[in-house]
Amino acid sequence: MADDELTPLQSLEGRLLFAVPKKGRLLQASLNLLEGADIQFKRENRLDIALVKNLPIALVFLPAADIPTFVGEGRVDLGITGLDQVQEHDAGVRELARARRMSGEFSHEEPTKPQGCETVMELGFGACRLQVQVPAKGEYATGQDLIGKNIGTSFVHLAQEYFARLELEKEGVAPDTVDLASRKLRTKIIELSGSVEAACALGVADGIVDLVESGETMKAAGLKAIDTVVDSSAILIKSKAPSNPAMVDLIAARIGGVITAQKYVLCQYNIARTSLPDATRVTPGKRAPTVTSLEEDGWVAVSSMVEKKKIAPVMDELMRIGATDILVLDIHNTRGS
């Protein structure tokens, strides 16, 4: 029986579950990363599960904000999401634990799996900042100015912790000595699910806490940033109890290889052996350059990985010290680097 003839439950049996953002700013870069790692799949229209053809993996397409929850609870094994979403999830877990303590609700049953997620690696895309923003022509200049005001955000838990710190600092109390989740705020946090940047103009909020990439949307809405809550980018996270740890390690190695390949190029050149010490200082490689003797006496060929963003000045310096036949080659993938 072919995979597409199986029921969803049968088709997922024995497969490692890998959560991928289903839409938004992280989706396309995530798909490019999977392609580079040779994770082959076809996603049918409107389906949020895709079976990988060449590995025992199923991709599960979820909202980026939900991925830390599914990974943290062990529902899926791996996930790609933003650091901002992981930190918002963690802050929510702290708030839930506080609420349970306050209500006396304790569970004596041990969870079947270790709870929480672990960061495997940074993925090098999706850079943004979770910032406190206010009307550009308004009276607010610092986060302290917003204490006691209305704040609109979809990052409720991070906003609560941020303003809890500010309120404690204003009272002369060190935030590290207090459980922030237990703090009763003077500042009102208003949960908004979309169009957060419009909240100030519509009179819903005095300030907002929202993600900023280029800053163009913020400026168009007449806002300015006055503080940063979290610097974020895309990360690969894993469950603390994955169903197939060996497969998790394999995927992480493949993705790590793609990321390295995106950052580096291979620089090859010929140089007189007497100038080799100078050349290796210019191109030290990730561990060491590869040096091969040439048929011509006194000359060697050198191969070395160089950061892509530094290659132009490196080539200039190699020419200055006498290198010839300088070639720069793209790296499509790597392992063990």
Side-chain angles (χ1 to χ4, degrees), residues 56-317:
I57 300 170
L59 301 180
V60 185
F61 292 85
L62 298 169
D66 293 342
I67 289 175
T69 299
F70 280 86
V71 174
E73 293 180 355
R75 309 282 182 177
V76 299
D77 304 283
L78 275 172
I80 294 174
T81 189
L83 176 61
D84 54 296
Q85 300 293 354
V86 173
Q87 293 197 358
E88 171 68 7
H89 170 262
D90 291 347
V93 170
R94 291 190 290 270
E95 168 62 21
L96 179 60
R98 181 202 68 82
R100 285 178 173 172
R101 288 196 304 271
M102 294 292 290
S103 66
E105 178 188 340
F106 295 99
S107 173
H108 298 289
E109 295 183 6
E110 292 293 327
T112 56
K113 290 185 177 182
Q115 301 293 291
C117 53
E118 299 177 358
T119 298
V120 179
M121 68 181 75
E122 296 180 3
L123 299 177
F125 62 85
C128 62
R129 298 176 301 281
L130 183 64
Q131 294 189 315
V132 183
Q133 303 166 37
V134 295
K137 297 180 180 179
E139 58 185 301
Y140 309 118
T142 69
Q144 291 275 3
D145 296 334
L146 290 171
I147 290 176
K149 306 298 182 181
N150 295 329
I151 307 299
T153 186
S154 59
F155 291 84
V156 173
H157 302 296
L158 284 176
Q160 287 173 337
E161 290 193 351
Y162 172 83
F163 282 100
R165 288 190 184 92
L166 290 186
E167 292 183 14
L168 287 167
E169 289 171 358
K170 190 171 184 178
E171 295 169 9
V173 179
D176 293 342
T177 64
V178 178
D179 179 6
L180 295 177
S182 66
R183 171 80 184 186
K184 184 174 178 58
L185 288 180
R186 291 166 48 202
T187 308
K188 183 178 180 181
I189 308 299
I190 302 169
E191 184 173 8
L192 301 172
S193 59
S195 300
V196 178
E197 69 279 357
C200 294
L202 296 175
V204 175
D206 301 293
I208 65 171
V209 175
D210 200 18
L211 286 178
V212 176
E213 293 181 73
S214 67
E216 294 304 316
T217 301
M218 175 181 66
K219 291 177 183 177
L223 301 171
K224 66 178 180 180
I226 58 173
D227 202 0
T228 297
V229 180
V230 173
D231 285 305
S232 181
S233 62
I235 56 176
L236 179 69
I237 58 176
K238 69 175 182 178
S239 164
K240 290 186 176 180
S243 62
N244 187 340
M247 184 57 60
V248 168
D249 292 342
L250 174 67
I251 296 170
R254 287 193 179 191
I255 290 176
V258 174
I259 293 170
T260 298
Q262 292 171 344
K263 290 181 179 178
Y264 288 85
V265 291
L266 185 65
C267 183
Q268 298 181 333
Y269 57 91
N270 298 331
I271 196 163
R273 186 175 288 278
T274 54
S275 299
L276 184 58
D278 291 332
T280 54
R281 280 193 290 271
V282 177
T283 59
K286 290 204 70 183
R287 180 169 299 174
T290 300
V291 180
T292 307
S293 295
L294 294 178
E295 290 295 325
E296 184 176 349
D297 288 341
W299 281 78
V300 294
V302 179
S303 295
S304 182
M305 290 175 67
V306 176
E307 284 189 72
K308 190 177 295 186
K309 63 184 180 182
K310 297 179 179 178
I311 189 60
V314 164
M315 293 174 73
D316 295 340
E317 184 63 14

Side-chain angles (χ1 to χ4, degrees), residues 11-66:
S11 63
L12 295 180
E13 187 175 350
R15 290 179 179 267
L16 181 136
L17 302 184
F18 189 168
V20 180
K22 67 185 298 182
K23 59 182 179 179
R25 62 188 182 86
L26 301 182
L27 173 58
Q28 190 55 54
S30 298
L31 296 180
N32 294 343
L33 194 62
L34 297 178
E35 181 181 4
D38 193 31
I39 296 175
Q40 302 172 16
F41 69 97
K42 180 180 180 182
R43 184 186 180 188
E44 301 294 342
N45 290 336
R46 300 178 183 272
L47 290 183
D48 288 337
I49 294 178
L51 304 183
V52 173
K53 301 174 184 178
N54 58 333
L55 290 168
I57 300 170
L59 301 180
V60 185
F61 292 85
L62 298 169
D66 293 342

Side-chain angles (χ1 to χ4, degrees), residues 316-329:
D316 295 340
E317 184 63 14
L318 288 174
M319 287 189 65
R320 190 190 68 79
I321 62 176
T324 65
D325 308 313
I326 303 170
L327 300 176
V328 177
L329 307 176

